[in-house]
mmCIF file of all heavy atoms in Angstrom:
data_model
loop_
_atom_site.group_PDB
_atom_site.id
_atom_site.type_symbol
_atom_site.label_atom_id
_atom_site.label_comp_id
_atom_site.label_asym_id
_atom_site.label_seq_id
_atom_site.Cartn_x
_atom_site.Cartn_y
_atom_site.Cartn_z
ATOM 1 N N GLU A 40 -19.303 -15.540 -15.546
ATOM 2 C CA GLU A 40 -18.384 -16.386 -14.779
ATOM 3 C C GLU A 40 -16.936 -15.976 -15.045
ATOM 4 O O GLU A 40 -16.104 -15.985 -14.144
ATOM 5 C CB GLU A 40 -18.601 -17.865 -15.118
ATOM 6 C CG GLU A 40 -19.914 -18.429 -14.603
ATOM 7 C CD GLU A 40 -20.041 -18.379 -13.087
ATOM 8 O OE1 GLU A 40 -19.038 -18.648 -12.378
ATOM 9 O OE2 GLU A 40 -21.148 -18.071 -12.594
ATOM 10 N N THR A 41 -16.641 -15.574 -16.273
ATOM 11 C CA THR A 41 -15.297 -15.094 -16.615
ATOM 12 C C THR A 41 -14.974 -13.827 -15.830
ATOM 13 O O THR A 41 -13.863 -13.674 -15.307
ATOM 14 C CB THR A 41 -15.188 -14.832 -18.131
ATOM 15 O OG1 THR A 41 -15.450 -16.058 -18.822
ATOM 16 C CG2 THR A 41 -13.819 -14.316 -18.517
ATOM 17 N N ASP A 42 -15.950 -12.924 -15.727
ATOM 18 C CA ASP A 42 -15.764 -11.697 -14.939
ATOM 19 C C ASP A 42 -15.490 -12.036 -13.476
ATOM 20 O O ASP A 42 -14.637 -11.408 -12.840
ATOM 21 C CB ASP A 42 -16.998 -10.791 -15.011
ATOM 22 C CG ASP A 42 -17.238 -10.203 -16.383
ATOM 23 O OD1 ASP A 42 -16.257 -9.989 -17.130
ATOM 24 O OD2 ASP A 42 -18.420 -9.949 -16.708
ATOM 25 N N LEU A 43 -16.208 -13.019 -12.952
ATOM 26 C CA LEU A 43 -16.016 -13.410 -11.554
ATOM 27 C C LEU A 43 -14.615 -13.972 -11.328
ATOM 28 O O LEU A 43 -13.978 -13.665 -10.318
ATOM 29 C CB LEU A 43 -17.059 -14.443 -11.126
ATOM 30 C CG LEU A 43 -18.491 -13.939 -10.977
ATOM 31 C CD1 LEU A 43 -19.403 -15.075 -10.539
ATOM 32 C CD2 LEU A 43 -18.566 -12.790 -10.004
ATOM 33 N N ARG A 44 -14.140 -14.791 -12.264
ATOM 34 C CA ARG A 44 -12.788 -15.334 -12.120
ATOM 35 C C ARG A 44 -11.754 -14.212 -12.163
ATOM 36 O O ARG A 44 -10.807 -14.192 -11.384
ATOM 37 C CB ARG A 44 -12.514 -16.389 -13.192
ATOM 38 C CG ARG A 44 -13.268 -17.698 -12.952
ATOM 39 C CD ARG A 44 -12.831 -18.791 -13.911
ATOM 40 N NE ARG A 44 -13.139 -18.499 -15.300
ATOM 41 C CZ ARG A 44 -14.296 -18.777 -15.902
ATOM 42 N NH1 ARG A 44 -15.277 -19.346 -15.219
ATOM 43 N NH2 ARG A 44 -14.481 -18.487 -17.178
ATOM 44 N N ARG A 45 -11.949 -13.263 -13.068
ATOM 45 C CA ARG A 45 -11.031 -12.121 -13.175
ATOM 46 C C ARG A 45 -11.055 -11.299 -11.885
ATOM 47 O O ARG A 45 -10.008 -10.940 -11.340
ATOM 48 C CB ARG A 45 -11.414 -11.256 -14.376
ATOM 49 C CG ARG A 45 -10.456 -10.106 -14.623
ATOM 50 C CD ARG A 45 -10.869 -9.311 -15.865
ATOM 51 N NE ARG A 45 -9.899 -8.297 -16.199
ATOM 52 C CZ ARG A 45 -8.874 -8.458 -17.035
ATOM 53 N NH1 ARG A 45 -8.688 -9.619 -17.636
ATOM 54 N NH2 ARG A 45 -8.033 -7.472 -17.273
ATOM 55 N N ALA A 46 -12.246 -10.991 -11.399
ATOM 56 C CA ALA A 46 -12.371 -10.216 -10.158
ATOM 57 C C ALA A 46 -11.741 -10.967 -8.982
ATOM 58 O O ALA A 46 -11.117 -10.353 -8.110
ATOM 59 C CB ALA A 46 -13.839 -9.906 -9.875
ATOM 60 N N GLY A 47 -11.883 -12.282 -8.974
ATOM 61 C CA GLY A 47 -11.257 -13.088 -7.927
ATOM 62 C C GLY A 47 -9.738 -12.996 -7.968
ATOM 63 O O GLY A 47 -9.074 -12.909 -6.934
ATOM 64 N N ARG A 48 -9.180 -12.980 -9.166
ATOM 65 C CA ARG A 48 -7.727 -12.836 -9.301
ATOM 66 C C ARG A 48 -7.282 -11.449 -8.841
ATOM 67 O O ARG A 48 -6.261 -11.307 -8.158
ATOM 68 C CB ARG A 48 -7.306 -13.086 -10.745
ATOM 69 C CG ARG A 48 -7.456 -14.541 -11.151
ATOM 70 C CD ARG A 48 -7.005 -14.801 -12.589
ATOM 71 N NE ARG A 48 -7.366 -16.164 -12.951
ATOM 72 C CZ ARG A 48 -8.320 -16.484 -13.824
ATOM 73 N NH1 ARG A 48 -8.971 -15.548 -14.488
ATOM 74 N NH2 ARG A 48 -8.603 -17.751 -14.068
ATOM 75 N N ILE A 49 -8.051 -10.433 -9.201
ATOM 76 C CA ILE A 49 -7.738 -9.069 -8.759
ATOM 77 C C ILE A 49 -7.771 -9.008 -7.240
ATOM 78 O O ILE A 49 -6.852 -8.478 -6.602
ATOM 79 C CB ILE A 49 -8.720 -8.049 -9.375
ATOM 80 C CG1 ILE A 49 -8.563 -8.012 -10.892
ATOM 81 C CG2 ILE A 49 -8.542 -6.668 -8.753
ATOM 82 C CD1 ILE A 49 -9.698 -7.307 -11.625
ATOM 83 N N ARG A 50 -8.823 -9.540 -6.648
ATOM 84 C CA ARG A 50 -8.962 -9.571 -5.187
ATOM 85 C C ARG A 50 -7.756 -10.253 -4.545
ATOM 86 O O ARG A 50 -7.199 -9.768 -3.562
ATOM 87 C CB ARG A 50 -10.249 -10.315 -4.826
ATOM 88 C CG ARG A 50 -10.480 -10.494 -3.327
ATOM 89 C CD ARG A 50 -11.391 -11.659 -3.018
ATOM 90 N NE ARG A 50 -10.831 -12.873 -3.590
ATOM 91 C CZ ARG A 50 -11.563 -13.913 -4.008
ATOM 92 N NH1 ARG A 50 -12.872 -13.892 -3.927
ATOM 93 N NH2 ARG A 50 -10.975 -14.984 -4.502
ATOM 94 N N ASP A 51 -7.326 -11.374 -5.132
ATOM 95 C CA ASP A 51 -6.196 -12.115 -4.577
ATOM 96 C C ASP A 51 -4.891 -11.336 -4.692
ATOM 97 O O ASP A 51 -4.070 -11.343 -3.769
ATOM 98 C CB ASP A 51 -6.067 -13.478 -5.253
ATOM 99 C CG ASP A 51 -7.246 -14.388 -4.943
ATOM 100 O OD1 ASP A 51 -8.024 -14.094 -4.007
ATOM 101 O OD2 ASP A 51 -7.393 -15.417 -5.650
ATOM 102 N N PHE A 52 -4.689 -10.643 -5.815
ATOM 103 C CA PHE A 52 -3.485 -9.818 -5.963
ATOM 104 C C PHE A 52 -3.483 -8.681 -4.946
ATOM 105 O O PHE A 52 -2.460 -8.373 -4.338
ATOM 106 C CB PHE A 52 -3.356 -9.253 -7.387
ATOM 107 C CG PHE A 52 -2.718 -10.193 -8.362
ATOM 108 C CD1 PHE A 52 -3.399 -10.600 -9.497
ATOM 109 C CD2 PHE A 52 -1.437 -10.673 -8.163
ATOM 110 C CE1 PHE A 52 -2.814 -11.459 -10.414
ATOM 111 C CE2 PHE A 52 -0.831 -11.536 -9.074
ATOM 112 C CZ PHE A 52 -1.522 -11.924 -10.205
ATOM 113 N N ILE A 53 -4.630 -8.057 -4.742
ATOM 114 C CA ILE A 53 -4.728 -6.979 -3.760
ATOM 115 C C ILE A 53 -4.440 -7.519 -2.364
ATOM 116 O O ILE A 53 -3.727 -6.882 -1.580
ATOM 117 C CB ILE A 53 -6.105 -6.291 -3.845
ATOM 118 C CG1 ILE A 53 -6.176 -5.456 -5.131
ATOM 119 C CG2 ILE A 53 -6.365 -5.413 -2.611
ATOM 120 C CD1 ILE A 53 -7.536 -4.881 -5.442
ATOM 121 N N ALA A 54 -4.948 -8.700 -2.065
ATOM 122 C CA ALA A 54 -4.727 -9.308 -0.744
ATOM 123 C C ALA A 54 -3.249 -9.612 -0.497
ATOM 124 O O ALA A 54 -2.812 -9.657 0.656
ATOM 125 C CB ALA A 54 -5.555 -10.584 -0.613
ATOM 126 N N THR A 55 -2.480 -9.790 -1.565
ATOM 127 C CA THR A 55 -1.049 -10.068 -1.397
ATOM 128 C C THR A 55 -0.204 -8.805 -1.483
ATOM 129 O O THR A 55 1.023 -8.877 -1.531
ATOM 130 C CB THR A 55 -0.548 -11.112 -2.422
ATOM 131 O OG1 THR A 55 -0.827 -10.665 -3.739
ATOM 132 C CG2 THR A 55 -1.193 -12.462 -2.185
ATOM 133 N N GLY A 56 -0.862 -7.632 -1.523
ATOM 134 C CA GLY A 56 -0.140 -6.377 -1.433
ATOM 135 C C GLY A 56 0.045 -5.609 -2.725
ATOM 136 O O GLY A 56 0.717 -4.579 -2.738
ATOM 137 N N PHE A 57 -0.524 -6.074 -3.816
ATOM 138 C CA PHE A 57 -0.389 -5.363 -5.085
ATOM 139 C C PHE A 57 -1.365 -4.199 -5.141
ATOM 140 O O PHE A 57 -2.498 -4.303 -4.685
ATOM 141 C CB PHE A 57 -0.659 -6.293 -6.275
ATOM 142 C CG PHE A 57 0.472 -7.232 -6.576
ATOM 143 C CD1 PHE A 57 0.555 -8.461 -5.960
ATOM 144 C CD2 PHE A 57 1.457 -6.883 -7.487
ATOM 145 C CE1 PHE A 57 1.597 -9.330 -6.227
ATOM 146 C CE2 PHE A 57 2.506 -7.740 -7.773
ATOM 147 C CZ PHE A 57 2.581 -8.974 -7.136
ATOM 148 N N SER A 58 -0.919 -3.084 -5.708
ATOM 149 C CA SER A 58 -1.804 -1.940 -5.934
ATOM 150 C C SER A 58 -2.553 -2.163 -7.251
ATOM 151 O O SER A 58 -2.153 -3.004 -8.067
ATOM 152 C CB SER A 58 -0.989 -0.648 -6.033
ATOM 153 O OG SER A 58 -0.202 -0.653 -7.213
ATOM 154 N N THR A 59 -3.605 -1.396 -7.461
ATOM 155 C CA THR A 59 -4.335 -1.534 -8.725
ATOM 156 C C THR A 59 -3.442 -1.153 -9.901
ATOM 157 O O THR A 59 -3.532 -1.740 -10.972
ATOM 158 C CB THR A 59 -5.619 -0.687 -8.731
ATOM 159 O OG1 THR A 59 -5.305 0.662 -8.392
ATOM 160 C CG2 THR A 59 -6.644 -1.235 -7.758
ATOM 161 N N ARG A 60 -2.538 -0.203 -9.702
ATOM 162 C CA ARG A 60 -1.593 0.179 -10.768
ATOM 163 C C ARG A 60 -0.693 -1.008 -11.119
ATOM 164 O O ARG A 60 -0.470 -1.303 -12.289
ATOM 165 C CB ARG A 60 -0.749 1.377 -10.320
ATOM 166 C CG ARG A 60 0.258 1.851 -11.348
ATOM 167 C CD ARG A 60 1.156 2.965 -10.827
ATOM 168 N NE ARG A 60 1.770 2.698 -9.532
ATOM 169 C CZ ARG A 60 2.856 1.927 -9.345
ATOM 170 N NH1 ARG A 60 3.438 1.360 -10.361
ATOM 171 N NH2 ARG A 60 3.344 1.746 -8.137
ATOM 172 N N GLU A 61 -0.186 -1.697 -10.097
ATOM 173 C CA GLU A 61 0.669 -2.864 -10.337
ATOM 174 C C GLU A 61 -0.112 -3.984 -11.020
ATOM 175 O O GLU A 61 0.400 -4.657 -11.911
ATOM 176 C CB GLU A 61 1.263 -3.366 -9.021
ATOM 177 C CG GLU A 61 2.268 -2.440 -8.401
ATOM 178 C CD GLU A 61 2.657 -2.847 -6.987
ATOM 179 O OE1 GLU A 61 1.773 -3.240 -6.192
ATOM 180 O OE2 GLU A 61 3.859 -2.766 -6.668
#
Side-chain angles (χ1 to χ4, degrees):
E40 290 299 320
T41 300
D42 293 330
L43 289 180
R44 288 188 296 273
R45 184 178 186 92
R48 290 181 188 110
I49 296 166
R50 177 203 57 210
D51 294 346
F52 276 121
I53 288 172
T55 57
F57 284 88
S58 68
T59 53
R60 180 185 50 80
E61 291 170 318

